[in-house]
Amino acid sequence: MNLVWQRRGRSLAGFWREYRRDRAGLVGLAVLVVFGGLALAAPLFISEADLSATNAPARPRQAPGADYWLGADGYGRSMVDVTIWGARISLAVGFLATFMSVAVGAVLGIVAGHFRGWAEAVVLRVTDWFLVLPTLVLATALASVLKPGTTTVVVAIGATAWPGTARLVRAQTLAVEGRPYIERARALGGGDGHVMGRHVLPNVMPLVLAQTTLCVAGAILAEATLAFLGLSDPTKVSWGTTLQLARQIGAVSAGNWWILLPPGLAIAVVSLAFTLCGRAIEGVLNPKLRVR
């Protein structure tokens, strides 16, 4: 057991050694740490009472100034508080939806690559159907049928964003299944569950990890879009609902840029940070992708 943990420790140390060589990946990781820390610590310095529309301490649409650095929104809430608190919902939805989509895609990809035959044909045809239709359109249709809320947004994104992961995992599974130790495992009596769980899954997990970081950015953008369309819970403060409120009060035509800029910029920066981390992880796991 100690030997196993020592090997894992050396692997993690080697992973970090290669990762920190990517400056863009380090910048993305630093940005995510800052946003994640602010989201977790938000209840310590932001009161939910200040986020209530009835208890807002500032005047509606107040421009940035000494008292409110980023101004106030349509309800008179500080845009600093709204942006920081909105990170809690947006990041949570992004992670949960990504976990759901990656889990579904990984399972279906391994099943299609391992069993082949009719199982592969069914998975591939369903995957092709989802790939043909735009993910956002499917998510919007699903979210409009279900009751509006945060859970609905998570399910809508997770249930429609898995085909890309399924394709990648299937291709990796086919490559792993052709290796000699898989034949030895089967010759020694290893069943389908043993081969998939003990041999295929550990070898596709690095790909799944890289795909996860890349999918979170798309999930955050999808959450903001669905919330902007009014398909999320309007009582929950997120970056998407903040943009929706800005649209409802006509912030664009009124020139209230401070209501639009903080959540929009936060979405762009966090999405870019996840993309940079995902590319850096891909470079570590696949040396052919490293930029010299």
Side-chain angles (χ1 to χ4, degrees):
M1 182 63 67
N2 291 334
L3 181 60
V4 173
W5 284 107
Q6 289 176 3
R7 290 178 177 175
R8 292 178 179 176
R10 288 194 296 268
S11 298
L12 290 176
F15 176 87
W16 173 246
R17 184 170 56 253
E18 293 295 334
Y19 182 91
R20 65 186 182 185
R21 293 180 179 177
D22 192 315
R23 295 182 178 179
L26 288 178
V27 172
L29 181 60
V31 171
L32 295 181
V33 169
V34 171
F35 273 90
L38 289 175
L40 292 175
L44 299 178
F45 56 90
I46 298 176
S47 173
E48 290 193 60
D50 295 338
L51 298 174
S52 174
T54 58
N55 298 329
R59 297 194 307 271
R61 306 193 189 192
Q62 180 173 333
D67 295 331
Y68 298 93
W69 296 344
L70 297 180
D73 65 358
Y75 291 135
R77 301 173 298 185
S78 171
M79 285 305 302
V80 174
D81 295 347
V82 170
T83 303
I84 294 176
W85 195 272
R88 296 170 61 84
I89 298 297
S90 296
L91 291 178
V93 171
F95 279 113
L96 292 175
T98 299
F99 177 80
M100 178 179 175
S101 65
V102 170
V104 173
V107 171
L108 293 179
I110 292 176
V111 170
H114 177 78
F115 288 104
R116 312 293 292 274
W118 66 268
E120 182 184 27
V122 171
V123 172
L124 290 181
R125 297 295 78 77
V126 174
T127 302
D128 291 340
W129 185 83
F130 273 92
L131 288 174
V132 169
L133 297 177
T135 301
L136 184 58
V137 174
L138 289 175
T140 303
L142 183 59
S144 62
V145 173
L146 301 176
K147 180 180 179 180
T150 304
T151 304
T152 297
V153 173
V154 172
V155 173
I157 299 173
T160 56
W162 57 266
T165 302
R167 281 283 189 179
L168 291 175
V169 173
R170 171 185 169 271
Q172 184 68 11
T173 301
L174 292 176
V176 173
E177 291 274 351
R179 295 175 182 174
Y181 61 83
I182 298 295
E183 297 182 4
R184 290 197 297 268
R186 288 173 174 169
L188 293 174
D192 294 326
H194 175 82
V195 172
M196 289 189 294
R198 297 294 299 274
H199 299 287
V200 177
L201 183 60
N203 283 280
V204 302
M205 281 304 296
L207 177 64
V208 172
L209 175 61
Q211 183 69 9
T212 299
T213 56
L214 294 173
C215 288
V216 174
I220 292 175
L221 290 172
E223 184 276 332
T225 303
L226 294 177
F228 182 79
L229 295 175
L231 299 176
S232 183
D233 188 352
T235 63
K236 302 293 185 180
V237 178
S238 70
W239 294 332
T241 56
T242 305
L243 293 175
Q244 182 199 23
L245 174 61
R247 178 185 62 84
Q248 290 176 345
I249 65 176
V252 176
S253 58
N256 302 143
W257 56 267
W258 58 87
I259 304 179
L260 297 165
L261 184 60
L265 190 60
I267 293 172
V269 170
V270 171
S271 299
L272 178 60
F274 273 111
T275 301
L276 293 177
C277 290
R279 296 302 182 189
I281 292 175
E282 280 188 330
V284 173
L285 301 178
N286 187 356
K288 296 180 180 180
L289 299 178
R290 297 176 189 172
V291 179
R292 297 186 182 277

